[in-house]
Amino acid sequence: MKKTFFYLALFATAMWTITACTSKTETTDGENNFRIRRGTNVSHWLSQSEERGEARRQHIHEDDFERLEQLGFDFVRIPIDEVQFWDEEGNKLPEAWELLDSALQWAGKHHLRAIVDLHIIRSHYFNAANEGDKAANTLFTSEKAQQDLINLWYQLSDVLKGYSTDSVAYEFMNEPVADEHEQWNQLVAKVHKALREREPKRTLVIGSNRWQGYETMKYLKVPEGDKNIILSFHYYNPMILTHYGAWWTPLGKYKGKVNYPGVLVSREDYEAAPDSIKEALEPFTTQEWNIDRIRADFKDAIDVAKKYNLQLFCGEWGVYEPVNRDLAYKWYKDMLSVFDEFDIAWTTWCYDADFGFWDQAKHDYKDKPLVDILMSGEGLKK
């Protein structure tokens, strides 16, 4: 009898993998079954990394996806960068494509849906302004750059279209930073039209302008009548807490004490801070931050998702590793409560980098209490 159960279980697993990875199964009304709840970003691998060759091949393995499945995650977001997949002449760089294919196969095998996120392209980098290179962002002022983006997705689609629409989704750009919201809306319409001509039922993840901010979701023009869209926003507020000490942000220079919940920075600590950051720091000396503030911040995004009857997804949220863990955990718990309250899917930033919970070098958890908190959400039980 035990052998019978074993073979039945093996057969069921195999059938799920085949369906998730390769089938074209869709619901009868044209809406696919790409539904997500709890995930993480497999970041700093095919994106934001200088690793190549053996180091990149050894960075992520199948056991990482197996681990995420066992922990209770149901999907992953996989950021990819143009420079890793194409050289400057537009030629494909085969190894990155092979690694992405392996990742999607592993995800399917371990019952994880996947969002392929085009994170950084040569004509647009979300952090260019903070790094003093805003002029490098030509995407919103160049017709050629916009067509180049569409062409990148044509090539990605040619390779990824064999994956079931129930298992793989496309996020065609991360954290757009357009001067005018309408510039982003026009590009959304262009890319949406181009991809729909090739893949009518593929789920597309579309975020709001200005770093996928929750506060700009109300300005997003969502393509009408398309139910295979997931609306995405990112949330790292309050930055003085989540990015405390982060060298790449202006507030990273602050060395005083931070509180949470409540007023985050005392007037005494504010006065002792460098003059160069006082303007950015001042709001944190008067405003209270707690679960009610998070709930209020999410309101516009929730309203837009309800208006279009689309799933809402927080694609990035997390706390920088050096931040006081007790404060971080309080914030994580408040975030999870609001996600559960409004049925918002999420992927933490991230799995194994400087916001993550796993240490690839040591092959062990670097923040197991965080994992326990993430897996405690009521949403997992629905």
Side-chain angles (χ1 to χ4, degrees), residues 58 60 72 84 88 97 101 128 134 142 146 148 182 246 249 255 264 297-298 325 331 362 376 379 382:
Q58 294 302 318
I60 294 292
Q84 291 214 37
E88 291 186 3
W97 293 84
D101 180 65
K134 185 178 179 180
S142 167
Q146 294 181 15
D148 287 345
E182 191 56 26
T249 68
K255 304 301 181 185
L264 281 83
D297 281 352
F298 285 9
R325 289 294 90 185
W331 182 83
K362 296 180 180 178
S376 68
K382 292 181 183 178

Side-chain angles (χ1 to χ4, degrees), residues 4 10 13 23 25-26 32 38 46 54 69 94 121 154 172 178 204 246 258 268 308 311 358 362:
T4 300
L10 187 63
T13 299
S23 78
T25 302
E26 295 164 356
N32 66 44
R38 306 293 182 255
L46 300 177
E54 187 65 16
E69 177 194 19
I121 58 178
Y154 281 161
F172 61 77
L204 303 180
V258 174
E268 181 181 359
Y308 291 98
Q311 184 166 18
W358 180 256
K362 296 180 180 178

Side-chain angles (χ1 to χ4, degrees), residues 53-309:
E54 187 65 16
R56 183 170 59 176
R57 286 194 297 272
Q58 294 302 318
H59 188 111
I60 294 292
H61 301 90
E62 180 180 344
D63 65 356
D64 295 298
F65 291 83
E66 181 180 17
R67 179 175 304 109
L68 293 173
E69 177 194 19
Q70 291 173 346
L71 287 173
F73 292 101
D74 61 84
F75 76 112
V76 291
R77 181 176 183 248
I78 305 176
I80 67 172
D81 288 353
E82 180 182 355
V83 296
Q84 291 214 37
F85 284 75
W86 294 270
D87 65 20
E88 291 186 3
E89 284 71 47
N91 301 308
K92 287 184 180 179
L93 300 170
E95 184 179 89
W97 293 84
E98 293 167 5
L99 290 172
L100 177 59
D101 180 65
S102 293
L104 296 177
Q105 294 287 344
W106 294 333
K109 181 177 179 181
H110 294 288
H111 308 92
L112 300 168
R113 291 186 165 93
I115 295 172
V116 177
D117 154 49
L118 191 49
H119 207 68
I120 301 173
I121 58 178
R122 287 186 170 93
S123 62
H124 184 275
Y125 173 39
F126 56 86
N127 207 38
N130 287 334
E131 297 186 11
D133 194 22
K134 185 178 179 180
N137 280 355
T138 61
L139 180 64
F140 296 106
T141 57
S142 167
E143 290 289 334
K144 179 183 182 302
Q146 294 181 15
Q147 187 57 51
D148 287 345
L149 171 62
I150 291 171
N151 290 340
L152 296 182
W153 274 108
Y154 281 161
Q155 293 180 66
L156 283 163
S157 173
D158 286 343
V159 172
L160 302 179
K161 64 185 178 183
Y163 287 94
S164 166
T165 56
D166 296 343
S167 65
V168 175
Y170 303 161
E171 184 170 353
F172 61 77
M173 207 177 85
N174 172 71
E175 294 195 352
V177 189
D179 289 338
E180 303 293 336
H181 300 311
E182 191 56 26
Q183 291 176 305
W184 174 234
N185 288 331
Q186 290 175 8
L187 185 56
V188 166
K190 282 185 181 180
V191 182
H192 175 267
K193 181 176 184 293
L195 283 173
R196 280 292 173 252
E197 289 173 352
R198 294 196 169 206
E199 298 196 53
K201 305 304 179 188
R202 180 72 57 185
T203 290
L204 303 180
V205 178
I206 300 175
S208 48
N209 188 31
R210 308 291 294 175
W211 299 280
Q212 250 150 296
Y214 63 91
E215 71 278 21
T216 59
M217 185 69 81
K218 60 189 175 185
Y219 303 113
L220 179 65
K221 292 182 180 177
V222 181
E224 296 279 356
D226 188 341
K227 294 304 179 184
N228 293 318
I229 287 176
I230 292 175
L231 298 178
S232 172
F233 70 102
H234 295 176
Y235 193 85
Y236 289 104
N237 285 349
M239 289 284 286
I240 192 64
L241 169 67
T242 66
H243 284 65
Y244 184 89
W247 58 267
W248 63 92
T249 68
L251 285 171
K253 297 178 182 178
Y254 176 67
K255 304 301 181 185
K257 185 180 178 181
V258 174
N259 306 295
Y260 183 87
V263 175
L264 281 83
V265 178
S266 70
R267 293 302 302 185
E268 181 181 359
D269 285 320
Y270 168 80
E271 295 297 341
D275 289 341
S276 62
I277 65 170
K278 280 187 174 178
E279 183 178 355
L281 191 62
E282 200 279 334
F284 301 113
T285 67
T286 57
Q287 300 174 6
E288 288 208 10
W289 290 84
N290 51 36
I291 191 171
D292 292 331
R293 174 62 183 266
I294 294 170
R295 189 182 288 112
D297 281 352
F298 285 9
K299 183 179 185 303
D300 283 348
I302 293 167
D303 287 348
V304 172
K306 286 181 178 178
K307 173 184 176 181
Y308 291 98
N309 192 27

